[in-house]
Amino acid sequence: MKEYFSQIELKKEEKPKLLVQVCCAPDLVLPLLELKKYFKLYLYWYNPNIQPYSEYKRRYDEYVKLLQLEEGDYEILEDNYDNKEFYRKLFENRHIVGIEENDYKTLMKEFSQMEEKNSKRCDICYYTRLLEPALLAKKHNIPYFTTTLLISPKKSVEKLDKYGKIVTKKTGIKYLSFDFRKNDGFKKAAEYTKEHDIWRQNYCGCAWSIRDNIL
């Protein structure tokens, strides 16, 4: 983890502040275990994409369970569940992938016809789930942000890094990209969740990912 310190301005007297966008408990395991050693963490559970609410609640409960298992120098930034916000943000941020459609219903219909993962629809979701945490970090004077999405082998690190840099330019909050998959990071996290009986979901989150069985 120390190799990433070239990305930040360290102060000897205190840990640098870092906001972490949390997508789920299993993907938080390794980032939490590693990052809490070097940063003052602000954990932000931001997942308006998850459907249905019962699924959202189950994933959130596993997140709380993990926090009870692992103590550390971190604070919790809460977010209220609002699935309608997810669709509003997809429409609002459509420009990031060059979509010019201005009719909400038409665009949602187009999104529903996209079956492949890492589609333009997924790109906007990446961007949104980086932008909102960065805006919150700015509000709380936190200079750096990252995301637990980086550890998932099903997510595109290249795209996350691309949109992370765009968000940095937009907000002034620096995006830090960590290679959590290095040295079997995902495997180690999976072993931890099995050992501590932390449930792992079987689809990404949105209604379309349920239909397409996209993890």
Side-chain angles (χ1 to χ4, degrees):
M1 194 61 61
K2 290 183 179 180
E3 64 266 30
Y4 296 103
F5 281 179
S6 61
Q7 303 181 64
I8 65 177
E9 297 177 5
L10 285 174
K11 295 180 179 180
K12 293 182 179 180
E13 68 275 12
E14 61 183 22
K15 292 180 180 179
K17 296 178 181 179
L18 172 68
L19 185 146
V20 181
Q21 184 269 326
V22 180
C23 63
C24 64
D27 285 354
L28 175 61
V29 169
L30 191 67
L32 181 60
L33 292 175
E34 291 298 319
L35 294 176
K36 70 178 183 178
K37 299 174 185 176
Y38 308 106
F39 295 90
K40 165 67 176 181
L41 298 179
Y42 294 79
L43 305 179
Y44 182 41
W45 174 271
Y46 178 70
N47 299 289
N49 58 307
I50 299 174
Q51 288 185 272
Y53 176 72
S54 58
E55 176 78 12
Y56 177 93
K57 181 65 166 57
R58 186 176 183 184
R59 296 189 193 189
Y60 184 81
D61 288 345
E62 294 302 302
Y63 165 59
V64 173
K65 180 179 180 179
L66 174 59
L67 296 184
Q68 291 172 341
L69 288 169
E70 296 295 335
E71 296 182 353
D73 188 18
Y74 55 76
E75 294 186 20
I76 310 301
L77 300 176
E78 295 287 357
D79 182 66
N80 295 322
Y81 179 71
D82 183 2
N83 185 242
K84 291 182 179 180
E85 177 188 357
F86 171 64
Y87 297 101
R88 290 195 300 269
K89 293 297 182 180
L90 285 182
F91 182 73
E92 179 183 317
N93 296 326
R94 66 195 183 282
H95 65 279
I96 203 67
V97 292
I99 292 177
E100 298 181 359
E101 177 59 60
N102 290 317
D103 182 76
Y104 176 85
K105 291 184 178 180
T106 299
L107 184 57
M108 292 303 113
K109 184 177 180 179
E110 290 180 5
F111 283 155
S112 69
Q113 295 170 350
M114 296 178 184
E115 296 184 0
E116 72 282 7
K117 64 180 180 179
N118 290 324
S119 63
K120 287 186 175 181
R121 181 189 70 215
C122 296
D123 282 23
I124 304 173
C125 182
Y126 283 171
Y127 173 73
T128 299
R129 290 166 76 194
L130 291 172
L131 176 61
E132 296 305 314
L135 291 172
L136 185 64
K138 188 171 185 176
K139 179 180 178 180
H140 289 276
N141 296 312
I142 302 169
Y144 307 105
F145 77 103
T146 191
T147 176
T148 59
L149 291 166
L150 288 164
I151 196 174
S152 172
K154 300 293 184 179
K155 301 296 185 289
S156 170
V157 171
E158 292 75 16
K159 288 188 175 183
L160 287 168
D161 288 351
K162 172 186 174 181
Y163 295 120
K165 292 174 182 177
I166 291 174
V167 168
T168 290
K169 290 182 179 179
K170 184 179 181 67
T171 64
I173 305 302
K174 188 167 184 178
Y175 165 75
L176 300 184
S177 179
F178 298 99
D179 187 3
F180 295 122
R181 303 177 196 178
K182 186 178 180 180
N183 298 322
D184 291 324
F186 182 78
K187 181 180 178 181
K188 292 175 182 177
E191 291 172 348
Y192 179 102
T193 57
K194 184 176 181 180
E195 177 184 353
H196 294 87
D197 193 28
I198 294 176
W199 172 75
R200 182 180 292 274
Q201 66 274 11
N202 58 13
Y203 65 95
C204 185
C206 74
W208 296 308
S209 69
I210 301 174
R211 179 198 65 189
D212 303 332
N213 195 27
I214 294 174
L215 184 60

